[in-house]
Amino acid sequence: MKDTFKHQGLRKKLVNVLKNKGITDTNVLNAIGKIPRHLFMDSGFLDHAYQDKAFPIGADQTISQPYTVAFQSELLQIKPGDKILEIGTGSGYQTAVLCELGAKVYSIERQNELFKKTSKFLPKLGYRAKKLIFGDGYIGLEEEAPFDGVIVTAGAPFVPKPLLSQLKIGGRLVIPVGDDVQTMTMFTRKGKKEFDQEEFGEFRFVPLLEDKN
């Protein structure tokens, strides 16, 4: 669990890469600059930790590309104290970014192996989500709704309706929609049944799976 000057230096370089790719939110950049991403990966892959690319973490899942994490986090426009629902805890890296931004995070993971590992690991780094849940992200978390924001960290073939219905008015859902290649899509809730929809180009994610527990 070491975070050396070398790691910190590599993170600075990564932050500059993200700036050059168009990430402008200072809070998001500071979070990426602070979180020891190498600790979220197996120790044999430290060389890859601060490159701007996704990487396998077991259970057929990946730790998302830093640019993708930064991009989705920036779209959410998180203010301290915002209640955020994350679908797909994975390694917990995106969860840590959300916590670093001051969000109250509720996160759902459907891979039991990852869920157990991440639940133990995140608190060791000092990142405490409000709730980490093993379950089906497609149904959201009705008992804790409404949320200021919902972030989906896996490719969804369609937009699950419960995730839209669990947003506050003014809340945002950021979700990659599509099968092989996904379009980053943001829905902003304008009224009980009104949503604005914006699209932000193509990304590649592992698929969001439903009810496979």
Side-chain angles (χ1 to χ4, degrees), residues 184-202:
M184 190 66 76
T185 310
M186 181 168 77
F187 294 88
T188 306
R189 188 166 200 173
K190 294 296 186 187
K192 196 167 182 205
K193 297 204 168 158
E194 289 166 82
F195 294 87
D196 273 358
Q197 180 177 348
E198 294 170 80
E199 292 183 352
F200 297 91
E202 291 185 348

Side-chain angles (χ1 to χ4, degrees), residues 152-182:
V152 178
T153 64
F158 61 90
V159 180
K161 285 204 169 66
L163 301 185
L164 288 168
S165 70
Q166 290 171 25
L167 281 177
K168 280 182 185 166
I169 305 290
R172 298 170 161 216
L173 164 64
V174 175
I175 180 170
V177 186
D179 289 314
D180 296 333
V181 177
Q182 292 82 33

Side-chain angles (χ1 to χ4, degrees), residues 78-94:
I78 292 168
K79 299 182 296 301
D82 276 0
K83 205 170 171 184
I84 304 292
L85 174 63
E86 178 188 32
I87 308 302
T89 318
S91 68
Y93 180 66
Q94 173 74 72

Side-chain angles (χ1 to χ4, degrees), residues 82-155:
D82 276 0
K83 205 170 171 184
I84 304 292
L85 174 63
E86 178 188 32
I87 308 302
T89 318
S91 68
Y93 180 66
Q94 173 74 72
T95 320
V97 170
L98 296 170
C99 289
E100 198 63 64
L101 292 170
K104 294 175 179 165
V105 187
Y106 298 78
S107 188
I108 305 175
E109 174 55 55
R110 57 158 291 279
Q111 297 272 9
N112 204 7
E113 173 194 337
L114 270 181
F115 167 73
K116 284 179 180 158
K117 192 172 159 188
T118 304
S119 307
K120 287 196 186 85
F121 171 68
L122 274 175
K124 283 182 187 162
L125 288 185
Y127 293 110
R128 299 189 190 283
K130 280 288 190 194
K131 270 189 185 172
L132 291 175
I133 296 142
F134 171 57
D136 179 6
Y138 268 81
I139 58 177
L141 195 60
E142 185 58 55
E143 66 270 26
E144 296 292 348
F147 295 95
D148 295 293
V150 178
I151 179 171
V152 178
T153 64

